[in-house]
Amino acid sequence: MVSNMCKSDSRRKQKLTKLIGVPTVYFLAEGIVFPSVGFFLVDFIDGLDTNARSMGFVHSLYLGILILLGPVATLIAKRFGNRATILAGSSMVVGGLVVTSQVTHIWQILLSHSLVTGCGLCLLTQGMVYDLASTFNKSASIYIGFMYAGSSVGFVVNPLIFSQSRLYFGWRGTILIGSAVSMHMLPLVLILFRTRRPTESDDMVTREVCCKENDEHSTEMTSKQLTNRKICVGESSYEDNDGANNIVVEKGSRNIHQSVDEFAGELSELTAEEVKKVLNEPDGQRQLEACEPSQQENPPSLLMFCKTPSLLLFSTVYFFGRFAHIGFFVHFTASLILKGFSEQEAALVFTAYGIGGMLGKSCCGIPGRFGIISNYNFYMISMFIIGFCFVTFSSITNMATLLTNGFVVGGFIGVFVGLFPAITQSCVSKEWFNFAYGYIGIPTGVSSALGGYIMGAVYDTSGVYTVSFYIAGICFFFNGFLMFTKICIDKCSSLRRSNSNIVCD
């Protein structure tokens, strides 16, 4: 009783600690990294003597690598554990940000920001997602949403701070200060993701559970299982002084004595035909049934995308959604400055976007968790709303309308990003989640890397961002119609199935 209460209190403290600490880590990581380059995109273009296409590619490649290296992060987390993966990613993020503040050529920022910082943030993000998904299985969507909300807090606060800090320290000094602040996540990671060592109480609980499982297993053993067990481990029977039949299992140097008197009731229930059937079975078949598991799960592979239509659908939706999202996200601040808005006004729109993203990411799992609306329908509705906001963004000239549009876009982009791990988890088993979530990042990372580059190329060709944002909006409209089509197909299939059952009856 006391141990159960202690476990409950420890579990509650762990949830509260990670509920506060994990968003803080993500605030110090992506919440500082992205505004450091996204907000100063025009300064990088002028300072490095490059164009919007090249800087768009650098920044979108960073965001593409964030999910493109998902399978690599999966292997590293499996080999070294989530804690080591998160710590390595945190160190790379800090180091990459320091170097980015001092770059003088485009290839240098390609290495420091796109590769080093991108790889580090990938390890950090995937490691924390895996840890939260395994620790809080049923409520993982809420905790993952709060994790992503930490970066949105950075999108709210940091643009305003950066716009003022730039006046005193310049854009390079501001990024360097941001890297110093980001370094504080290293001790926080060491505190949050501690490796728990087994204690004596854990050993006692383990022994009690094993003894209980052995007792339950022994009462359910039949003559067929007993025969198979003798074949597998080489048992020999003997009769003791009391006349009870016993089994000696020789495995190494250990002899295990088990009385079979407790199986007499079940043995007596077997008919003569069943006993004869057991005895007439080939020895090879009995040994195969006893020594091999009755149902062995196939290891995860890329064929799971073909066998699971829902997983393939969400992969397609995320592919086009990340392409459009990154293309818009990289360039929308620069588009406002080039349209004549001041840096402070652009920072306010970015802040409104961050506030919306913070609410969207932190609350995206709540409607589905409490049965208000399914995660699928909520995700589908967000596609249409994001598409409408993208299409209308470039034509807005009023500051209040821009703030509203940025807030709505940020909120539903938060749903798009924050709810996707839970959507993936609903399609596959818990054992396959890491594999599926990691390998979805391969095509999605490519689309993310190309999003900023293509949107920048369209701007360099046309001279305006209107066409670029139209393309982004159409991608999200396509995702919404794709998800709606699946609903129609599923309803038609269920209706046809129910009609066929009625006819058969």
Side-chain angles (χ1 to χ4, degrees):
M1 184 85 172
V2 176
S3 63
N4 291 336
M5 292 177 62
C6 293
K7 288 181 181 178
S8 178
D9 294 339
S10 176
R11 184 79 170 174
R12 193 178 298 111
K13 289 180 181 178
Q14 182 187 23
K15 287 184 176 181
L16 182 61
T17 302
K18 289 196 173 182
L19 188 64
I20 299 174
V22 169
T24 305
V25 171
Y26 219 61
F27 164 79
L28 296 173
E30 190 180 16
I32 292 178
V33 171
F34 189 90
S36 297
V37 178
F39 186 74
F40 296 121
L41 192 67
V42 176
D43 295 294
F44 274 107
I45 293 174
D46 295 336
L48 304 181
D49 193 19
T50 183
N51 52 31
R53 181 185 311 179
S54 300
M55 278 306 302
F57 175 73
V58 167
H59 202 30
S60 61
L61 181 61
Y62 147 78
L63 294 168
I65 288 178
L66 176 60
I67 53 179
L68 181 63
L69 296 183
V72 178
T74 302
L75 297 176
I76 294 176
K78 185 177 181 181
R79 174 65 179 84
F80 299 100
N82 294 330
R83 185 175 190 256
T85 304
I86 297 170
L87 186 60
S90 305
S91 304
M92 294 176 67
V93 168
V94 174
L97 195 57
V98 171
V99 177
T100 300
S101 65
Q102 306 300 319
V103 296
T104 55
H105 296 87
I106 188 68
W107 65 268
Q108 294 174 347
I109 192 174
L110 184 67
L111 293 176
S112 65
H113 181 66
S114 301
L115 297 182
V116 177
T117 308
C119 292
L121 196 58
C122 175
L123 296 177
L124 174 69
T125 303
Q126 302 291 81
M128 289 201 297
V129 168
Y130 298 158
D131 183 84
L132 294 176
S134 60
T135 306
F136 312 104
N137 187 22
K138 294 183 179 180
S139 56
S141 61
I142 296 177
Y143 285 89
I144 293 173
F146 271 103
M147 181 196 80
Y148 284 117
S151 62
S152 297
V153 175
F155 299 161
V156 173
V157 177
N158 290 329
L160 298 175
I161 297 176
F162 288 173
S163 63
Q164 298 300 318
S165 176
R166 184 179 182 275
L167 300 176
Y168 298 98
F169 305 103
W171 62 275
R172 292 184 183 274
T174 301
I175 296 176
L176 190 60
I177 294 173
S179 65
V181 176
S182 181
M183 195 177 296
H184 290 81
M185 69 178 161
L186 296 177
L188 190 58
V189 167
L190 293 173
I191 295 172
L192 283 175
F193 302 96
R194 288 179 291 181
T195 303
R196 184 176 179 271
R197 297 180 178 179
T199 60
E200 294 181 359
S201 60
D202 293 334
D203 295 337
M204 293 177 61
V205 172
T206 302
R207 286 196 295 269
E208 291 176 359
V209 172
C210 291
C211 293
K212 185 178 179 181
E213 290 179 351
N214 290 335
D215 293 339
E216 293 176 354
H217 177 69
S218 63
T219 57
E220 296 176 357
M221 183 174 281
T222 64
S223 64
K224 182 175 179 179
Q225 293 171 319
L226 188 59
T227 305
N228 293 336
R229 187 162 180 248
K230 291 171 69 177
I231 294 171
C232 276
V233 297
E235 297 173 349
S236 61
S237 62
Y238 74 97
E239 187 171 318
D240 61 8
N241 296 331
D242 298 331
N245 290 328
N246 288 273
I247 298 169
V248 179
V249 183
E250 296 184 1
K251 190 173 183 180
S253 61
R254 302 173 62 184
N255 294 332
I256 303 173
H257 299 266
Q258 289 187 341
S259 174
V260 296
D261 289 339
E262 57 187 1
F263 306 129
E266 293 190 19
L267 292 175
S268 62
E269 295 177 359
L270 294 174
T271 63
E273 294 181 357
E274 291 175 336
V275 174
K276 184 178 180 181
K277 182 178 179 181
V278 171
L279 295 176
N280 290 334
E281 283 182 350
D283 293 342
Q285 182 178 351
R286 288 185 294 187
Q287 185 171 355
L288 183 64
E289 292 176 354
C291 298
E292 293 183 1
S294 59
Q295 185 178 3
Q296 186 176 7
E297 187 178 3
N298 295 326
S301 63
L302 293 177
L303 293 177
M304 66 189 298
F305 291 92
C306 300
K307 296 179 180 179
T308 311
S310 298
L311 187 61
L312 184 61
L313 170 70
F314 291 131
S315 302
T316 306
V317 168
Y318 207 57
F319 176 87
F320 287 102
R322 289 289 295 190
F323 169 80
H325 165 223
I326 298 305
F328 175 83
F329 199 28
V330 169
H331 292 283
F332 92 95
T333 305
S335 70
L336 293 175
I337 296 175
L338 294 173
K339 282 173 63 176
F341 291 95
S342 64
E343 289 187 356
Q344 285 73 22
E345 291 173 331
L348 287 175
V349 177
F350 202 108
T351 300
Y353 175 92
I355 294 174
M358 179 178 60
L359 294 176
K361 292 174 183 176
S362 59
C363 302
C364 63
I366 294 178
R369 185 74 174 83
F370 293 98
I372 301 173
I373 186 174
S374 67
N375 287 337
Y376 186 94
N377 292 337
F378 192 30
Y379 208 72
M380 180 185 66
I381 292 172
S382 68
M383 299 294 108
F384 290 106
I385 296 177
I386 294 171
F388 175 78
C389 292
F390 279 3
V391 170
T392 58
F393 184 84
S394 59
S395 60
I396 299 175
T397 56
N398 182 269
M399 189 61 190
T401 310
L402 272 176
L403 292 173
T404 304
N405 188 291
F407 175 80
V408 175
V409 168
F412 285 96
I413 285 292
V415 175
F416 169 72
V417 175
L419 201 58
F420 184 74
I423 293 286
T424 306
Q425 192 178 27
S426 65
C427 297
V428 297
S429 63
K430 183 180 179 180
E431 292 75 15
W432 286 26
F433 170 71
N434 290 7
F435 182 90
Y437 188 72
Y439 274 84
I440 285 175
I442 296 177
T444 306
V446 174
S447 69
S448 300
L450 294 176
Y453 175 79
I454 292 177
M455 298 300 181
V458 172
Y459 167 76
D460 290 338
T461 303
S462 62
V464 291
Y465 277 108
T466 304
V467 180
S468 301
F469 294 161
Y470 278 171
I471 295 173
I474 290 172
C475 287
F476 273 98
F477 278 127
F478 172 76
N479 287 342
F481 283 116
L482 198 64
M483 297 184 70
F484 181 74
T485 302
K486 182 183 181 298
I487 293 178
C488 296
I489 293 175
D490 290 343
K491 287 188 176 181
C492 292
S493 299
S494 61
L495 183 61
R496 190 182 303 110
R497 198 179 301 113
S498 62
N499 290 337
S500 62
N501 292 335
I502 293 174
V503 172
C504 293
D505 293 339

